[in-house]
Amino acid sequence: MRLDKFLKVSRLIKRRTVANEACDAGRVMINDRVAKASADVKVGDRITISFGNREVKVEVTAVAETTKKEEAKELFKYI
């Protein structure tokens, strides 16, 4: 699954366009490498997102095309 779509489906970032812009700005990393929006996300990947002076680090536990709001937290765990 594409990185920008995963960020939206998992609700780490609200909109796919915002996720795309964050990737283009170099604020999203997969396994400690700067990632493009089109990067492939797999189970076990570690994603780091920089929000201003704060960083969010998560590990991908599942990949799904769509989720309900309640189930979105099951796609990742905080590190």
Side-chain angles (χ1 to χ4, degrees):
M1 173 183 282
R2 286 175 56 102
L3 175 59
D4 57 346
K5 184 168 183 180
F6 177 81
L7 293 174
K8 186 227 181 264
V9 170
S10 65
R11 302 211 175 28
L12 287 167
I13 297 180
K14 270 191 177 180
R15 293 187 190 91
R16 191 165 174 180
T17 54
V18 175
N20 214 320
E21 290 168 3
C23 292
D24 290 344
R27 294 186 308 216
V28 181
M29 298 193 300
I30 296 178
N31 299 327
D32 298 324
R33 291 192 187 123
V34 176
K36 293 184 179 181
S38 61
D40 194 35
V41 175
K42 301 175 290 301
V43 174
D45 284 347
R46 294 174 180 258
I47 299 175
T48 305
I49 310 167
S50 299
F51 291 112
N53 60 356
R54 197 173 70 124
E55 273 191 352
V56 175
K57 294 183 180 187
V58 298
E59 184 174 338
V60 179
T61 56
V63 176
E65 291 295 317
T66 59
T67 58
K68 295 181 179 171
K69 187 176 180 181
E70 305 83 40
E71 299 167 355
K73 292 227 186 270
E74 297 171 11
L75 296 179
F76 63 90
K77 66 178 179 180
Y78 289 102
I79 303 173

